Amino acid sequence: MTTVNGTVAGDVLSQYQLQSQSPAKSELGKTEFMELMLAQLKNQNPLEPQANGEFIAQLAQFSSLEEMQKVSGSLDNMVGEFRSAQALQASAMVGRSVLVPGTAGQLEAGGELSGNVAVQATTSNLRVSIKNSAGELVRQLDLGSAQTGYHAFSWDGTNADGDALPPGKYEVVAEGSYPGGVEQLGTLISANVDSVSLGGAGEITLNLASMGSIALSDVYQIN
């Protein structure tokens, strides 16, 4: 690039150097780029004018910069629209129930506690035990033989005598009988979505009744 007049060009460069040190603006935009190029043209040595090729190359750089800024702006708009859509979808989940990995669930007054058992291999006897907060067994559900897959269970909130138990949090323990003995199996618990949180990076967190928070990606099923 041809050297420009030291006084004028130096002032322009000093001006933008000071601006670049400011936290409010640390990048050279297309307006500043054009002003620098015009300053160079006005103050170039008339005996050694800038070659056409160099001038065209600078215009190409300016055009590339402008296109990159347009693409960046479009991407920002797309990200904003995507996050808005996520927030709208997330808000529609409030009040619904979801199936999430867990070993305890909330029994509401007059309600039931339900979920699924993940059976990894066929079992001759699938059993679900319900325990209260003191660890005492309050009900046992015998589901019989079960093939590999997910098997639903539901507890109506009563004990073996048919008496209704108080609302609260109850532990769920699923076991399967195999030739080698009894094995504990994984469970999915149904829980109500009380509220939804949307993080700054767009991540969605579900706040579940008496089960805390869980990422949307960890939800197995939306009921």
Side-chain angles (χ1 to χ4, degrees), residues 15-35:
Q15 174 187 353
Y16 294 123
Q17 184 178 13
L18 290 174
Q19 290 180 354
S20 65
Q21 295 172 354
S22 173
K25 188 172 184 179
S26 59
E27 296 181 356
L28 188 66
K30 64 179 182 180
T31 302
E32 293 81 4
F33 185 91
M34 179 61 79
E35 289 181 359

Side-chain angles (χ1 to χ4, degrees), residues 98-104 186-189 208 211 214-215 218-221:
V98 294
L99 271 178
V100 297
T103 58
T187 53
L188 299 169
I189 306 298
L208 308 179
M211 291 186 65
I214 188 171
D218 292 332
V219 172
Y220 176 79
Q221 178 179 305

Side-chain angles (χ1 to χ4, degrees), residues 25-82:
K25 188 172 184 179
S26 59
E27 296 181 356
L28 188 66
K30 64 179 182 180
T31 302
E32 293 81 4
F33 185 91
M34 179 61 79
E35 289 181 359
L36 281 172
M37 190 170 66
L38 291 176
Q40 177 185 353
L41 291 175
K42 290 179 181 178
N43 297 278
Q44 64 181 333
N45 187 344
L47 300 179
E48 296 180 2
Q50 185 178 28
N52 291 336
E54 294 181 7
F55 181 69
I56 292 175
Q58 290 184 26
L59 288 178
Q61 292 176 5
F62 174 75
S63 179
S64 297
L65 173 63
E66 189 172 24
E67 289 301 321
M68 289 176 62
Q69 290 179 332
K70 288 180 179 179
V71 170
S72 177
S74 298
L75 289 176
D76 289 341
N77 291 335
M78 290 176 62
V79 170
E81 292 176 0
F82 177 70

Side-chain angles (χ1 to χ4, degrees), residues 146-159:
Q147 302 290 324
T148 301
Y150 290 92
H151 296 267
F153 70 87
S154 179
W155 175 50
D156 61 4
T158 63
N159 59 21

Side-chain angles (χ1 to χ4, degrees), residues 105-115 153-158 190 192:
Q106 179 71 16
L107 175 68
E108 303 294 345
E112 63 180 24
L113 195 160
S114 61
F153 70 87
S154 179
W155 175 50
D156 61 4
T158 63
S190 181
N192 290 326

Side-chain angles (χ1 to χ4, degrees), residues 137-140 155-165:
L137 179 66
V138 296
R139 186 68 184 273
Q140 195 167 73
W155 175 50
D156 61 4
T158 63
N159 59 21
D161 296 327
D163 300 323
L165 297 178

